[in-house]
Amino acid sequence: MTISLRTSALSLATAFVLSAMPAAAQEAKSRLDEVLSRGHLVMGTGSTNAPWHFKSADDKLQGFDIDMGRIVAKALFGDPDKIEFVNQSSDARIPNITTDKVDLTCQFMTVTGERAQQVAFTIPYYREGVGLMLKSDGKYADYAALKAAGSSVTVSVLQNVYAESMVHAALPEATVDQYESVDLIYQALESGRADTVATDQSSLAWYMTQNSGRYKDAGYGWNPQSYACGVKRGDQDWLNFVNTALHEAMTGVEFDFYAKSYKTWFGKDLTPPQIGFPVEYK
Amino acid sequence: MPMASISPFLDQLWIARFVILKGLGATVSISLLAIIVGSLLGVLVGLALVYGNRILRLIVRAYTDFIRGTPVLVLVLASYYVLSTVGIELGPFQAGVLALAVFCSSHVGEIVRGGLQAIPVGQTEAAKAIGLTFGQTFAYVLWPQALRQFLPAWVNTAAEMVKASTLLSVIGVAELLLRTQEIISRNFMSLQFYFFAGLLYFVINYGIERFGKYVERKTAVPS
């Protein structure tokens, strides 16, 4: 190809791309329009972690994450039930967003900078921390006793790249045993393989409520983290919409829905946001 | 298991009976589909490996080695995610069955190849000598002998498929293991329910083994 030919080919290509761009921009619809025309929301979540996302005895998905999806569905269609759940493992949370298998994922996803490079996070809908659970009749009375016992304490924890350092931030010398699922970390404590369980305070609270009297909280919390839903990057309209829905559930017209769900899954009553000056600017 | 914990377990088992049945149904149908499709495809792979021309043999050999060398979980994830990037949208169930069937086909292919190649060349020569065509030779002389050779290995592969079906929980297929985990996340009776699920998996695989034994008896050379 001669230089002049190459130049004209290039300019032709540029002209083609430029002429196509405004049309492409017009055609690029937001996920918001797609969801609205589909008539229901497709949300990715799990089914094996109470009180976040788990099945009732009659095989219905329930939990705090599920309710967050219902808030978005209600904002979209005025109907919290217009939602199709895609059952996914924790590992599938990000891939299912990036490959368009779901419109949105709400699955106790901790907000991290690393993940924020792959998906767009909504505003957080819950603030989590890690706690320690002991057997009521066990060897150790509380956090101070665990810390004093040093390396003779074994902690069961969910498998995670941060698990070891997370536990050691509270109990620097403890032995850390990692397990694949929540039931197994509890089983380790129950069977005496571990002296304490380190996991999310929300999960511990739920478990202790379900097994009243058998366990106790060691009285120490650490490792703050935010839970947010995730959507695909690059669709500001859709992200804004989900943010608005969640924000108004925590501070505005849908507060009762959020507060009722909070009470159901965490057993606490929330104080309604004050009337007057918006809470965000205080 | 202490006696005291049996009664609450039975209560929970009764509550969860339909959920377990659904999971069992999913596991059985995934495994059956994967074994049937995988075996049919595997027989073709085996035939291509033995009777194909050089180019076909080379292609099929590459397919078999590639699939056999890939972990099933990777195949499962690939059929769910990679295919959708090229516009083939499979649901979790379809993607899972496809992955297991492909995996099964590579194993059955090798089993069929081994079975056919284990038959002494003299048999084919003798068949030719009495005037049988290749088709007749294959149907009446080679296949019945090869079938007997590869039945035990095929039973093993079929049992592997049942076990591998548990991996489909990763892409959200509600098979027996995921169903069991869902029940456990509600009542936290992990040991009891995992034990029960293990028992069900054993029953399925025992059924496959008995079926294999039955076919072996049916195809045995009368003594």
Side-chain angles (χ1 to χ4, degrees), chain B residues 101-123:
Chain B
V102 163
F103 187 71
C104 183
S105 77
S106 70
H107 282 256
V108 172
E110 281 291 50
I111 294 167
V112 170
R113 181 192 62 78
L116 286 170
Q117 286 180 341
I119 303 165
V121 181
Q123 302 261 330

Side-chain angles (χ1 to χ4, degrees), chain A residues 171-184:
Chain A
L171 299 167
E173 293 165 59
T175 310
V176 179
D177 281 355
Q178 301 191 29
Y179 294 90
E180 201 190 88
S181 62
V182 181
D183 54 286
L184 293 178

Side-chain angles (χ1 to χ4, degrees), chain B:
Chain B
M1 214 183 294
M3 273 310 284
S5 70
I6 284 184
S7 172
F9 167 63
L10 292 179
D11 291 347
Q12 287 295 324
L13 191 62
W14 182 248
I15 292 169
R17 63 196 186 279
F18 293 121
V19 172
I20 290 177
L21 275 178
K22 276 189 212 163
L24 187 67
T27 290
V28 169
S29 48
I30 291 162
S31 309
L32 262 184
L33 275 171
I35 292 166
I36 293 169
V37 177
S39 298
L40 292 176
L41 202 62
V43 169
L44 295 180
V45 166
L47 292 178
L49 283 173
V50 179
Y51 302 114
N53 63 27
R54 219 168 63 89
I55 296 169
L56 181 65
R57 272 211 314 270
L58 213 67
I59 296 169
V60 177
R61 166 60 45 211
Y63 165 83
T64 321
D65 287 351
F66 179 72
I67 300 295
R68 270 160 49 99
T70 310
V72 194
L73 182 60
V74 174
L75 291 177
V76 170
L77 293 174
S79 62
Y80 190 56
Y81 289 117
V82 179
L83 287 183
S84 73
T85 60
V86 293
I88 305 169
E89 279 295 340
L90 295 181
F93 186 89
Q94 298 158 310
V97 168
L98 175 71
L100 292 189
V102 163
F103 187 71
C104 183
S105 77
S106 70
H107 282 256
V108 172
E110 281 291 50
I111 294 167
V112 170
R113 181 192 62 78
L116 286 170
Q117 286 180 341
I119 303 165
V121 181
Q123 302 261 330
T124 318
E125 286 166 356
K128 213 183 266 176
I130 60 167
L132 296 187
T133 63
F134 176 75
Q136 288 169 325
T137 308
F138 182 76
Y140 301 127
V141 180
L142 301 177
W143 183 250
Q145 296 187 69
L147 192 66
R148 282 174 213 131
Q149 294 264 2
F150 70 60
L151 262 174
W154 179 85
V155 168
N156 277 346
T157 304
E160 279 304 316
M161 289 306 110
V162 177
K163 288 186 255 175
S165 72
T166 58
L167 294 171
L168 304 196
S169 61
V170 173
I171 54 170
V173 177
E175 42 67 61
L176 182 57
L177 184 66
L178 182 58
R179 287 295 192 174
T180 304
Q181 286 168 337
E182 285 175 356
I183 296 162
I184 290 170
S185 75
R186 192 177 60 245
N187 57 33
F188 296 101
M189 293 185 172
S190 24
L191 279 188
Q192 296 93 322
F193 275 94
Y194 276 134
F195 181 79
F196 188 74
L199 208 65
L200 293 179
Y201 279 110
F202 169 75
V203 169
I204 300 172
N205 277 343
Y206 188 71
I208 291 176
E209 199 226 352
R210 294 315 304 170
F211 176 72
K213 283 273 180 336
Y214 168 79
V215 180
E216 264 179 65
R217 265 203 316 278
K218 281 280 170 191
T219 56
V221 181
S223 52

Side-chain angles (χ1 to χ4, degrees), chain A residues 47-48 59 87 96 101 187, chain B residues 80-81 172 179 182 185 190:
Chain A
S47 61
T48 55
D59 207 26
N87 198 344
N96 277 3
K101 300 230 180 251
Q187 192 60 49
Chain B
Y80 190 56
Y81 289 117
R179 287 295 192 174
E182 285 175 356
S185 75
S190 24

